[in-house]
Amino acid sequence: MNRSVLAGIGTSLPTRLVTNVELSARLDTTDEWIRSRTGIRQRYVVPPGTATSELATAAARDAMVAAEVTAVDVVVLATSTPDHPCPATAPDVASRLGLTGAPAFDVAAVCAGFVYALAVADGLISTGVATSALVIGADTFSTILDPTDRTTRAIFGDGAGAVVLRAGAGDEPGALLGFDLGSDGTGHDLITVRAGGSRQRGSGPIVDAADVYFAMLGKPVFMQAVLRMTESSQAVLKRVGWELSEVDRIVAHQANLRILHAVADQLELPRDKMLTNIDRVGNTVAASIPLALADAEARGALRAGDRVVLTGFGGGLAWGSAALRWPDLDRRDPPMISSL
Ligand code: COA
């Protein structure tokens, strides 16, 4: 059977940097509170008028350059901030990349989106439907945050990350070896944008002005994130037959540094095996895992052949994990700040 192999990684961050100090000047918060409760020092946000597709396209181009390819068979875009409720954003991204005609679709699994998209693309490659794929995670949460909400404004940032997958063999470095995916819709109201969908249309009467903004219940989300990412990491390890002690690195969704530490502690893994870039980019939703991977690759924290577990959790509730051997990639610069 064909396996899919990670052949290149790319990123895109908007130029506008917002530090905790700047946020503290506008909201009732402090640099000390944000750093100590989340591990975040700064985040990047798009300027007005910049859409998710623009970040997604830039990251995808960067990944294609890294993988030395000019075309792929399929484009899968993980996002929960699409350019429009309809149509999907991926076809637009594909066309901008010169891939008009290729199948292209969005995957909506919020912060678990990148792992879900990776699993879908892996399935298309391993069944022979495609021989290569672009998997993009891109979100612009700054466009859906309540400007007066100090909690969500402190946590989220915008960005995009992308990987190119190609068909290959399971024993190659970069091969995706297994997945664990899950969801629990009974927790759907923990992370929501209430208005704008069929239940409460954006054009009709809005029950509460805050309904157009992203909202989350921080504490239960924190607990669920730790539980689900821990259990899902254990499940994927079981599936691929790795012992915990054999894992070199975990790259988890960058939700909150305390969540990452808690997952490492629950797994009884040294915290330094858990890679993080949250201090510099915040929680970038579907972009968070590929941005963290690119950062780690650029810093030399990921080495060819490393046994790596990816794990994500987010709204839905939805979660997922993947296991792979890290590929031998050409060392690149740290995540690119694009001109957006
Ligand atoms: N600055 C200062 N105070 C803040 C603040 C901020 N940016 N954000 C929240 N607070 C306040 C709260 O209003 C609360 O005040 P109160 O006690 O007067 O009501 C206090 O800090 C403590 O809030 P609490 O929710 O207990 O803090 P916490 O330690 O749980 O941290 C989160 C809050 C949101 C950082 C944390 O719950 C979290 O990270 N949750 C998960 C979020 C997440 O990962 N979401 C994405 C899902 S993938």
Side-chain angles (χ1 to χ4, degrees), residues 18 51 81 83 85 96-97 110 127 143 159 165 184 197 214 230 248 277 291:
V18 180
T81 45
D83 288 12
R96 291 183 202 207
L97 294 168
V110 201
T127 52
T143 63
L165 300 182
D184 176 3
F214 173 85
T230 301
D248 296 299
N277 64 342
L291 281 175

PDB file of all heavy atoms in Angstrom, residues 18 51 81 83 85 96-97 110 127 143 159 165 184 197 214 230 248 277 291:
ATOM      1  N   VAL A  18       1.372  42.114  17.505  1.00  0.00           N
ATOM      2  CA  VAL A  18       0.707  42.715  18.673  1.00  0.00           C
ATOM      3  C   VAL A  18       1.304  42.087  19.928  1.00  0.00           C
ATOM      4  O   VAL A  18       1.149  40.895  20.179  1.00  0.00           O
ATOM      5  CB  VAL A  18      -0.823  42.484  18.634  1.00  0.00           C
ATOM      6  CG1 VAL A  18      -1.484  43.112  19.860  1.00  0.00           C
ATOM      7  CG2 VAL A  18      -1.432  43.057  17.368  1.00  0.00           C
ATOM      8  N   ALA A  51      -7.765  38.298   4.003  1.00  0.00           N
ATOM      9  CA  ALA A  51      -8.573  37.109   4.277  1.00  0.00           C
ATOM     10  C   ALA A  51      -7.683  35.885   4.487  1.00  0.00           C
ATOM     11  O   ALA A  51      -6.492  35.890   4.163  1.00  0.00           O
ATOM     12  CB  ALA A  51      -9.530  36.858   3.117  1.00  0.00           C
ATOM     13  N   THR A  81     -12.137  29.834   9.781  1.00  0.00           N
ATOM     14  CA  THR A  81     -12.390  31.232   9.406  1.00  0.00           C
ATOM     15  C   THR A  81     -12.245  31.327   7.882  1.00  0.00           C
ATOM     16  O   THR A  81     -11.332  31.986   7.371  1.00  0.00           O
ATOM     17  CB  THR A  81     -11.409  32.199  10.101  1.00  0.00           C
ATOM     18  OG1 THR A  81     -10.074  31.650  10.018  1.00  0.00           O
ATOM     19  CG2 THR A  81     -11.770  32.431  11.555  1.00  0.00           C
ATOM     20  N   ASP A  83     -12.956  32.425   3.975  1.00  0.00           N
ATOM     21  CA  ASP A  83     -13.188  33.781   3.443  1.00  0.00           C
ATOM     22  C   ASP A  83     -14.676  34.124   3.472  1.00  0.00           C
ATOM     23  O   ASP A  83     -15.050  35.276   3.703  1.00  0.00           O
ATOM     24  CB  ASP A  83     -12.678  33.876   2.005  1.00  0.00           C
ATOM     25  CG  ASP A  83     -11.153  33.878   1.927  1.00  0.00           C
ATOM     26  OD1 ASP A  83     -10.496  33.577   2.940  1.00  0.00           O
ATOM     27  OD2 ASP A  83     -10.618  34.182   0.834  1.00  0.00           O
ATOM     28  N   PRO A  85     -18.881  32.166   4.261  1.00  0.00           N
ATOM     29  CA  PRO A  85     -19.555  30.938   4.692  1.00  0.00           C
ATOM     30  C   PRO A  85     -19.716  29.969   3.519  1.00  0.00           C
ATOM     31  O   PRO A  85     -19.742  28.759   3.697  1.00  0.00           O
ATOM     32  CB  PRO A  85     -20.929  31.426   5.180  1.00  0.00           C
ATOM     33  CG  PRO A  85     -20.758  32.879   5.469  1.00  0.00           C
ATOM     34  CD  PRO A  85     -19.694  33.371   4.537  1.00  0.00           C
ATOM     35  N   ARG A  96      -5.281  30.169  -7.125  1.00  0.00           N
ATOM     36  CA  ARG A  96      -4.184  31.141  -6.976  1.00  0.00           C
ATOM     37  C   ARG A  96      -2.819  30.473  -7.079  1.00  0.00           C
ATOM     38  O   ARG A  96      -1.831  31.116  -7.401  1.00  0.00           O
ATOM     39  CB  ARG A  96      -4.279  31.835  -5.622  1.00  0.00           C
ATOM     40  CG  ARG A  96      -5.469  32.765  -5.511  1.00  0.00           C
ATOM     41  CD  ARG A  96      -5.391  33.427  -4.187  1.00  0.00           C
ATOM     42  NE  ARG A  96      -6.684  33.911  -3.758  1.00  0.00           N
ATOM     43  CZ  ARG A  96      -6.835  34.934  -2.952  1.00  0.00           C
ATOM     44  NH1 ARG A  96      -5.790  35.564  -2.495  1.00  0.00           N
ATOM     45  NH2 ARG A  96      -8.032  35.312  -2.579  1.00  0.00           N
ATOM     46  N   LEU A  97      -2.786  29.193  -6.762  1.00  0.00           N
ATOM     47  CA  LEU A  97      -1.528  28.445  -6.856  1.00  0.00           C
ATOM     48  C   LEU A  97      -1.306  27.877  -8.255  1.00  0.00           C
ATOM     49  O   LEU A  97      -0.341  27.151  -8.493  1.00  0.00           O
ATOM     50  CB  LEU A  97      -1.541  27.286  -5.841  1.00  0.00           C
ATOM     51  CG  LEU A  97      -1.550  27.695  -4.368  1.00  0.00           C
ATOM     52  CD1 LEU A  97      -1.869  26.487  -3.483  1.00  0.00           C
ATOM     53  CD2 LEU A  97      -0.211  28.304  -3.953  1.00  0.00           C
ATOM     54  N   VAL A 110     -11.813  23.139  13.529  1.00  0.00           N
ATOM     55  CA  VAL A 110     -11.236  24.173  14.398  1.00  0.00           C
ATOM     56  C   VAL A 110      -9.770  23.826  14.717  1.00  0.00           C
ATOM     57  O   VAL A 110      -8.989  23.625  13.801  1.00  0.00           O
ATOM     58  CB  VAL A 110     -12.127  24.418  15.637  1.00  0.00           C
ATOM     59  CG1 VAL A 110     -11.837  25.790  16.261  1.00  0.00           C
ATOM     60  CG2 VAL A 110     -13.612  24.366  15.266  1.00  0.00           C
ATOM     61  N   THR A 127      -4.989   5.401  -0.798  1.00  0.00           N
ATOM     62  CA  THR A 127      -5.923   4.620  -1.623  1.00  0.00           C
ATOM     63  C   THR A 127      -5.691   4.867  -3.118  1.00  0.00           C
ATOM     64  O   THR A 127      -6.458   4.384  -3.946  1.00  0.00           O
ATOM     65  CB  THR A 127      -7.383   4.972  -1.272  1.00  0.00           C
ATOM     66  OG1 THR A 127      -7.535   6.395  -1.342  1.00  0.00           O
ATOM     67  CG2 THR A 127      -7.753   4.479   0.109  1.00  0.00           C
ATOM     68  N   THR A 143     -10.252  38.155  13.118  1.00  0.00           N
ATOM     69  CA  THR A 143     -11.414  38.731  12.435  1.00  0.00           C
ATOM     70  C   THR A 143     -12.732  38.334  13.103  1.00  0.00           C
ATOM     71  O   THR A 143     -13.783  38.877  12.754  1.00  0.00           O
ATOM     72  CB  THR A 143     -11.463  38.292  10.947  1.00  0.00           C
ATOM     73  OG1 THR A 143     -11.630  36.863  10.888  1.00  0.00           O
ATOM     74  CG2 THR A 143     -10.195  38.687  10.206  1.00  0.00           C
ATOM     75  N   GLY A 159      -2.402  33.148  11.262  1.00  0.00           N
ATOM     76  CA  GLY A 159      -1.249  32.534  10.593  1.00  0.00           C
ATOM     77  C   GLY A 159      -1.690  31.377   9.713  1.00  0.00           C
ATOM     78  O   GLY A 159      -2.870  31.015   9.670  1.00  0.00           O
ATOM     79  N   LEU A 165       2.491  16.590   0.846  1.00  0.00           N
ATOM     80  CA  LEU A 165       2.615  15.137   1.009  1.00  0.00           C
ATOM     81  C   LEU A 165       2.797  14.510  -0.373  1.00  0.00           C
ATOM     82  O   LEU A 165       2.204  14.985  -1.346  1.00  0.00           O
ATOM     83  CB  LEU A 165       1.349  14.539   1.650  1.00  0.00           C
ATOM     84  CG  LEU A 165       0.949  15.036   3.035  1.00  0.00           C
ATOM     85  CD1 LEU A 165      -0.310  14.275   3.497  1.00  0.00           C
ATOM     86  CD2 LEU A 165       2.071  14.860   4.047  1.00  0.00           C
ATOM     87  N   ASP A 184     -16.793  14.825  20.105  1.00  0.00           N
ATOM     88  CA  ASP A 184     -17.847  14.747  21.114  1.00  0.00           C
ATOM     89  C   ASP A 184     -18.720  15.995  20.984  1.00  0.00           C
ATOM     90  O   ASP A 184     -18.429  17.043  21.556  1.00  0.00           O
ATOM     91  CB  ASP A 184     -17.238  14.673  22.522  1.00  0.00           C
ATOM     92  CG  ASP A 184     -18.304  14.683  23.609  1.00  0.00           C
ATOM     93  OD1 ASP A 184     -19.522  14.693  23.268  1.00  0.00           O
ATOM     94  OD2 ASP A 184     -17.931  14.701  24.797  1.00  0.00           O
ATOM     95  N   GLY A 197     -24.646  31.025  11.134  1.00  0.00           N
ATOM     96  CA  GLY A 197     -24.942  29.724  10.534  1.00  0.00           C
ATOM     97  C   GLY A 197     -26.445  29.576  10.363  1.00  0.00           C
ATOM     98  O   GLY A 197     -27.202  30.532  10.560  1.00  0.00           O
ATOM     99  N   PHE A 214     -16.475  34.979  18.381  1.00  0.00           N
ATOM    100  CA  PHE A 214     -16.018  33.713  18.930  1.00  0.00           C
ATOM    101  C   PHE A 214     -16.131  33.745  20.463  1.00  0.00           C
ATOM    102  O   PHE A 214     -15.783  34.732  21.099  1.00  0.00           O
ATOM    103  CB  PHE A 214     -14.552  33.500  18.528  1.00  0.00           C
ATOM    104  CG  PHE A 214     -13.919  32.308  19.166  1.00  0.00           C
ATOM    105  CD1 PHE A 214     -14.055  31.052  18.602  1.00  0.00           C
ATOM    106  CD2 PHE A 214     -13.185  32.430  20.334  1.00  0.00           C
ATOM    107  CE1 PHE A 214     -13.464  29.943  19.189  1.00  0.00           C
ATOM    108  CE2 PHE A 214     -12.597  31.329  20.929  1.00  0.00           C
ATOM    109  CZ  PHE A 214     -12.738  30.079  20.351  1.00  0.00           C
ATOM    110  N   THR A 230      -4.124  13.989  25.599  1.00  0.00           N
ATOM    111  CA  THR A 230      -3.398  12.906  26.266  1.00  0.00           C
ATOM    112  C   THR A 230      -3.898  11.552  25.760  1.00  0.00           C
ATOM    113  O   THR A 230      -3.110  10.700  25.315  1.00  0.00           O
ATOM    114  CB  THR A 230      -3.602  12.991  27.799  1.00  0.00           C
ATOM    115  OG1 THR A 230      -3.137  14.260  28.248  1.00  0.00           O
ATOM    116  CG2 THR A 230      -2.851  11.881  28.527  1.00  0.00           C
ATOM    117  N   ASP A 248      10.315  10.828  20.371  1.00  0.00           N
ATOM    118  CA  ASP A 248      11.325  11.887  20.486  1.00  0.00           C
ATOM    119  C   ASP A 248      10.686  13.245  20.730  1.00  0.00           C
ATOM    120  O   ASP A 248      11.195  14.045  21.513  1.00  0.00           O
ATOM    121  CB  ASP A 248      12.173  11.942  19.204  1.00  0.00           C
ATOM    122  CG  ASP A 248      12.965  10.656  19.012  1.00  0.00           C
ATOM    123  OD1 ASP A 248      13.784  10.357  19.891  1.00  0.00           O
ATOM    124  OD2 ASP A 248      12.748   9.956  18.008  1.00  0.00           O
ATOM    125  N   ASN A 277       6.046  26.982  20.223  1.00  0.00           N
ATOM    126  CA  ASN A 277       6.370  28.320  19.720  1.00  0.00           C
ATOM    127  C   ASN A 277       5.276  29.307  20.129  1.00  0.00           C
ATOM    128  O   ASN A 277       5.157  30.379  19.562  1.00  0.00           O
ATOM    129  CB  ASN A 277       6.512  28.313  18.187  1.00  0.00           C
ATOM    130  CG  ASN A 277       5.198  27.964  17.500  1.00  0.00           C
ATOM    131  OD1 ASN A 277       4.286  27.424  18.122  1.00  0.00           O
ATOM    132  ND2 ASN A 277       5.091  28.279  16.221  1.00  0.00           N
ATOM    133  N   LEU A 291       2.844  25.489  12.026  1.00  0.00           N
ATOM    134  CA  LEU A 291       3.744  26.590  12.412  1.00  0.00           C
ATOM    135  C   LEU A 291       4.748  26.112  13.463  1.00  0.00           C
ATOM    136  O   LEU A 291       5.928  26.469  13.414  1.00  0.00           O
ATOM    137  CB  LEU A 291       2.951  27.782  12.954  1.00  0.00           C
ATOM    138  CG  LEU A 291       2.279  28.696  11.928  1.00  0.00           C
ATOM    139  CD1 LEU A 291       1.436  29.767  12.641  1.00  0.00           C
ATOM    140  CD2 LEU A 291       3.300  29.370  11.017  1.00  0.00           C
TER     141      LEU A 291
END
